[in-house]
Amino acid sequence: MPKADHLTWHEGHISRDDRAALLGQRGAAVWFTGMSGSGKSTLAVALEHHLHHAGRLCYRLDGDNIRHGLCANLGFSAEDRDENIRRIGEVAKLFADTGCITLCSFVSPYRAARAAVRKLHEDAGLAFIEVFVDCPIEVLEQRDPKGLYKKARAGEITNMTGLSEAHPFEKPQQPDLHLRTDENTVEQSVVKLVALLRERGVVLG
């Protein structure tokens, strides 16, 4: 809840339809959720590349990148994870309101936090597309691009998402798109993502 009183939202004269007509697209948040190493950032980068070269305005918000600045003061407690996602949700909503296709790649392990971000967008009349980037734990540990699973198994990281009941990854129950990165190539996944963006009326024409 806002701590400041006497706030009034100041509307401008440019509507979302105006921006859509200018850009040939509608703003949206494409929310990639999944465990570390599942391929969230890889898919977001590939989709951004595809959309940009197709003449679409898009921007990536990535978990590690955001923690360098906006969320630099947050740790990895349950409360801090929720606050991290809340802040990102607000930023993604602003980007989407400009007409930008905003690609958000965050572990975002808790269903309630993801649902709150969805509601934030839907209440504002903005598209929110949850993409579950899924991969078996044994494959994740084989990939381990940041060495996090190895450190967690060695006891150097005690709050690794998905490796204990104390730090679960709550899988989406009804994602807008479920991608298995151990079964699909990056290119195949991008084709599915673009098709969904067209189906949802985000990419026009």
Side-chain angles (χ1 to χ4, degrees), residues 14-25 96-99:
I14 307 301
S15 71
R16 287 184 191 150
D17 287 342
D18 293 331
R19 295 189 181 101
L22 176 69
L23 298 171
Q25 64 186 56
D97 189 46
T98 71

Side-chain angles (χ1 to χ4, degrees), residues 60-204:
R60 281 186 309 112
L61 300 173
D62 185 82
D64 281 3
N65 294 355
I66 293 297
R67 282 183 176 271
H68 277 87
L70 180 65
C71 296
N73 65 321
L74 299 177
F76 290 92
S77 67
E79 295 77 15
D80 280 2
R81 289 175 190 262
D82 281 346
E83 174 60 14
N84 182 56
I85 297 307
R86 187 196 69 79
R87 292 183 193 180
I88 299 310
E90 293 285 354
V91 172
K93 175 189 153 188
L94 293 173
F95 274 52
D97 189 46
T98 71
C100 182
I101 302 171
T102 313
L103 312 177
C104 309
S105 47
F106 297 87
V107 173
S108 45
Y110 304 130
R111 291 192 191 105
R114 296 193 303 264
V117 177
R118 177 186 289 276
K119 185 175 188 303
L120 180 71
H121 284 74
E122 292 181 346
D123 284 352
L126 295 164
F128 181 87
I129 298 171
E130 183 182 55
V131 180
F132 177 25
V133 185
D134 192 10
C135 190
I137 184 65
E138 58 270 18
V139 177
L140 297 179
E141 295 205 50
Q142 288 171 7
R143 291 176 179 173
D144 202 10
K146 301 175 185 177
L148 299 178
Y149 289 100
K150 183 178 180 180
K151 290 180 180 179
R153 294 299 187 191
E156 297 176 37
I157 298 176
T158 59
N159 57 358
M160 184 71 179
T161 298
L163 293 189
S164 72
E165 290 185 7
H167 302 282
F169 176 78
E170 297 174 356
K171 295 183 179 182
Q173 295 173 316
Q174 292 182 309
D176 297 284
L177 184 61
H178 184 176
L179 295 174
R180 283 285 300 265
T181 58
D182 60 318
E183 297 177 353
N184 293 277
T185 66
V186 172
E187 293 76 15
Q188 289 169 333
S189 295
V190 168
V191 168
K192 293 179 181 181
L193 286 160
V194 173
L196 183 58
L197 292 177
R198 290 191 177 280
E199 177 187 317
R200 296 294 176 87
V202 175
V203 174
L204 307 175

Side-chain angles (χ1 to χ4, degrees), residues 1-31:
M1 296 296 292
K3 294 184 178 180
D5 295 325
H6 313 298
L7 301 178
T8 302
W9 188 269
H10 192 168
E11 294 288 353
H13 297 294
I14 307 301
S15 71
R16 287 184 191 150
D17 287 342
D18 293 331
R19 295 189 181 101
L22 176 69
L23 298 171
Q25 64 186 56
R26 294 192 179 278
V30 183
W31 194 275

Side-chain angles (χ1 to χ4, degrees), residues 32 38-46 60 62-64 105-106 146:
F32 296 88
S38 59
K40 301 179 300 297
S41 295
T42 297
L43 292 182
V45 166
R60 281 186 309 112
D62 185 82
D64 281 3
S105 47
F106 297 87
K146 301 175 185 177

